[in-house]
Amino acid sequence: LSLEGIDKENGNYKMTVVVNKPLNPGIYEMNLSDSSQIAPSSSNNLFQSGKGTASDPYIIATTRQLCNMRYALVKRKLVYFALAEDIDLKGINWKPLNTYTNEYAHWISLDGRNHVIRNLTPTLSCSYSSFFGVLCGECKNVGFEDVNISSVGLGAGVLGGYIGHHTYPGTTLIENCYFTGRVSSKSYAGAIGGNIGGKTIIRGCCSSVDVNSIDSYAGGLIGKVHASLTMEECICLGSVAGHHAGGIVGGGYDSDTPTSRFTDVIACNRSVYGTLDSDAFGFTDLKATKRNVFHAKGTFLNGNCLNDGLSTAQLKEKRDSWRRQGYR
């Protein structure tokens, strides 16, 4: 037996036990007296190295180690991970890391260190179908290639059905990431996330993901915006379809949604199609700050080729002027 995860709340122990070899029929007991005697060694064999701290993150070098992330998470504590190799999730029925089952209290920092995670395919039946489920923390310097996300439930995106959460006290950061593949959801859908649910900063990101929402908001990068969002130096090239469709954001602002800020953002989508409404960039609140925001000439908006906007050469010139060139 190997103890893969343990925490203690109000005197009660909660654990995950992995059996590494066949056991004879019978009753097995494990007596625990003090979790502090067990916790320090519980993650020793889960990762290549590391302690899960900012200065010494858990190092992930294999698919198995990536799957082991869930066993090292601790409620309401930011746990740090970093990739040492590219990871292929082909054939893995991925289960999101932060969901209602743990009260959305798993806070995670993942630094890809310019590596790639390929073939992310979350389980179809889960809510917030994505890598994290609800991303509270940060994700940076990583590419997600050939994702295949299809959700029959709530919001979906590569990183999170929700980005941020009202129970998370910090700002969720997504930086220097790129995405390819497809995202489809019955509800909110976006390449990065289905819904902004807590204060979020997104910068230096690129997506060519095709996004589809069956009956709600679809955005090239974000579906619905329900909390504070700052987006800087991002570009989207995929197609978008939904009830409310936008090249960058789908919309969904409420009267109490904090104002968003967009700086150096390019919508270079092949097509944007909305059964109710659509926009080459997307729908934001009237007070949203937009600086150096552009869309491509030639984008098909509900089947009609746009004559306004910038040419590919002009958009490339804008893109090349950005300070943060990004990992892609």
Side-chain angles (χ1 to χ4, degrees), residues 5 22 51-52 58 61 89 106 121 135 196 249 251 264 319 322 325:
K51 298 180 180 178
Y58 292 127
L89 290 174
H106 284 164
T121 306
L135 173 55
I196 298 295
V249 293
D264 296 323
R319 168 69 180 81
W322 293 350
Q325 291 302 306

Side-chain angles (χ1 to χ4, degrees), residues 156-157 183 187-194 207 209-213 216-224 236 238-251 269 272 279 281-283:
V183 171
S187 188
Y188 317 118
I192 292 177
S207 172
V209 171
D210 292 330
V211 176
N212 177 56
S213 171
S216 190
Y217 295 92
L221 296 181
I222 296 296
K224 182 179 180 180
C236 185
S239 63
V240 182
H243 269 19
H244 308 272
I248 299 295
V249 293
N269 312 80
V272 178
D279 185 80
F281 180 85
F283 300 95

